[in-house]
Amino acid sequence: MEYIEIKSNIITGHYCGAIPEKHDPAIEYRIVENCAVNIGDDIRMYTDLQTGTKKPLTQLVEEGLVPVPEGKKLNEAGTDFVDMTEAEKVAAGLIQLKADEKVEGAYVVKKTEKEQYDAGLISKDEYNAFIDKQREAAYRQEADPLGMQVMRGEVEKTEWLAKIAEIKQRYPKVE
């Protein structure tokens, strides 16, 4: 005869032979043939002890038999654990956003300078200094070549001045 020994829902042994006559009342014995379970497993994890067939992972999680590791979640198929996105970790309270961060889609990203200014995280002078750098880069890339063309007489000065005005409008300062 083949049997397994169970204590507090945990499979503690797999034996061949007669079930002990004197046994601990806290231990349950189940007669099985060619049992394919693992010693140390919770018996509630199995749908079939003979074949060792376990319940689906989603069911094991729902029943509290398998905990979801921190920072993980079940995949869409419910067959494995995958990493949570940063946004999901924020929503679950695993990550705390810094004052200059926000959730965008599945990611934690830095707030724009405008958002930081609007939130009072940077001063008006700091924000306007950032805008000056943005303008300078745009002037070098877009307006300066036109300025050279104006000097050579290839384009009208109004085209160059219009580009400068467009850059100022694109990167407005706060008053």
Side-chain angles (χ1 to χ4, degrees):
M1 175 175 14
E2 187 178 349
Y3 66 93
I4 57 172
E5 182 180 82
I6 305 161
K7 184 172 185 178
S8 300
N9 292 320
I10 303 300
I11 301 166
T12 58
H14 184 185
Y15 306 100
C16 289
I19 295 175
E21 287 184 26
K22 286 186 172 182
H23 57 269
D24 183 342
I27 296 175
E28 175 187 350
Y29 298 94
R30 288 199 192 170
I31 298 171
V32 292
E33 294 295 323
N34 299 320
C35 185
V37 296
N38 298 313
I39 295 174
D41 278 353
D42 190 312
I43 194 127
R44 298 171 295 176
M45 295 175 75
Y46 291 92
T47 57
D48 186 346
L49 296 175
Q50 292 299 123
T51 62
T53 305
K54 291 185 177 181
K55 295 175 182 175
L57 186 57
T58 51
Q59 185 178 351
L60 294 172
V61 168
E62 287 169 5
E63 292 177 6
L65 297 171
V66 172
V68 177
E70 187 172 302
K72 302 277 186 179
K73 64 178 182 176
L74 282 170
N75 64 9
E76 285 189 30
T79 57
D80 200 5
F81 295 112
V82 294
D83 291 330
M84 294 172 121
T85 65
E86 289 180 317
E88 290 169 328
K89 288 178 184 178
V90 169
L94 299 174
I95 294 177
Q96 297 296 318
L97 289 179
K98 296 176 186 161
D100 66 345
E101 294 177 329
K102 66 179 180 176
V103 172
E104 198 169 272
Y107 300 99
V108 173
V109 297
K110 188 172 176 153
K111 289 180 180 176
T112 65
E113 277 69 11
K114 179 70 169 128
E115 290 169 328
Q116 291 181 56
Y117 172 73
D118 290 343
L121 299 173
I122 61 174
S123 69
K124 177 174 116 176
D125 291 339
E126 290 170 314
Y127 177 74
N128 285 337
F130 166 77
I131 292 299
D132 284 339
K133 288 179 186 174
Q134 296 298 105
R135 284 181 178 182
E136 286 172 22
Y139 291 150
R140 271 193 302 279
Q141 189 173 15
E142 302 169 39
D144 290 356
L146 288 175
M148 294 303 292
Q149 290 174 332
V150 167
M151 289 173 62
R152 291 191 300 265
E154 297 170 1
V155 296
E156 293 294 318
K157 185 176 182 179
T158 56
E159 188 177 339
W160 173 58
L161 294 174
K163 179 53 78 173
I164 291 171
E166 185 261 315
I167 291 170
K168 286 183 178 182
Q169 187 175 10
R170 188 182 335 151
Y171 299 108
K173 290 186 176 185
V174 291
E175 299 300 323

